[in-house]
Amino acid sequence: MKRIHNPNKCKTHRSYTVEEVALLYEVHKRTVRNWLIKGLAVCDDKRPLLILGRDLKQFLQKQRQVNKRKCKLSELYCLKCREPRTPDQNTLEFIEETSTKGRVIATCSVCNSRMNKYFKLDSLTSIQRDLAVILPLPQKHIG
Ligand SMILES: [Zn+2]
């Protein structure tokens, strides 16, 4: 599970060594080096490497955004995986909740948990296009 690090924990006007960042965020030094590989900026090439609080803050804010991934139309958010997942297409089920709102229920293709997604019936056409033919049409109530 990915931990979310608070970008405001570091001071903008300070510079940190890799060790200090590791201590501050209670992570392994290796994790901080990974952040450097992922784009966290350092002051210069001199040793020890110094990381500006400002850069660290910016980097962690960006990471937060990355973690907050949005579901594509064809994906459902899986609570267990904590990520948008493609549903197992054989399990897709459509339920019309109200005249304007519907729900898709499916099983996560990764962990087999039940997933749910609410949407407006207006967007049903595009959802069906995205989830391909497999999504059954909502059953219109007769009468
Ligand atoms: Zn899952």
Side-chain angles (χ1 to χ4, degrees):
M1 205 185 295
K2 262 191 179 164
R3 274 175 57 197
I4 308 285
H5 301 290
N6 183 1
N8 299 320
K9 218 170 172 183
C10 60
K11 295 191 175 67
T12 317
H13 296 290
R14 248 205 80 169
S15 55
Y16 299 86
T17 62
V18 169
E19 285 78 8
E20 285 169 337
V21 174
L23 268 175
L24 183 66
Y25 282 98
E26 293 166 358
V27 294
H28 199 276
K29 276 185 279 181
R30 210 181 298 140
T31 307
V32 182
R33 283 194 208 104
N34 262 331
W35 292 353
L36 295 172
I37 294 164
K38 276 193 196 158
L40 173 59
V42 283
C43 285
D44 48 42
D45 296 332
K46 286 195 199 103
R47 304 261 161 185
L49 294 173
L50 284 180
I51 298 148
L52 285 178
R54 173 164 41 94
D55 290 335
L56 182 57
K57 191 177 246 177
Q58 216 176 52
F59 174 79
L60 292 175
Q61 272 164 354
K62 217 190 268 170
Q63 288 299 112
R64 238 187 200 182
Q65 291 304 313
V66 174
N67 285 342
K68 234 188 262 167
R69 276 186 56 201
K70 271 196 142 184
C71 283
K72 286 183 216 141
L73 266 183
S74 58
E75 292 175 323
L76 279 74
Y77 189 83
C78 175
L79 284 174
K80 199 163 177 205
C81 298
R82 290 164 161 254
E83 264 187 69
R85 292 290 192 205
T86 312
D88 180 341
Q89 303 241 306
N90 299 318
T91 65
L92 280 169
E93 209 179 307
F94 178 87
I95 297 166
E96 196 177 328
E97 298 254 306
T98 66
S99 56
T100 55
K101 208 173 70 180
R103 182 155 63 119
V104 171
I105 300 175
T107 301
C108 173
S109 57
V110 178
C111 73
N112 280 324
S113 295
R114 294 287 269 173
M115 307 191 292
N116 258 306
K117 187 175 187 170
Y118 287 91
F119 55 88
K120 293 206 182 92
L121 287 189
D122 298 350
S123 51
L124 185 62
T125 338
S126 46
I127 288 172
Q128 272 173 330
R129 197 173 47 222
D130 263 60
L131 290 176
V133 248
I134 303 96
L135 189 63
L137 276 162
Q139 298 293 310
K140 285 272 174 228
H141 298 292
I142 303 158

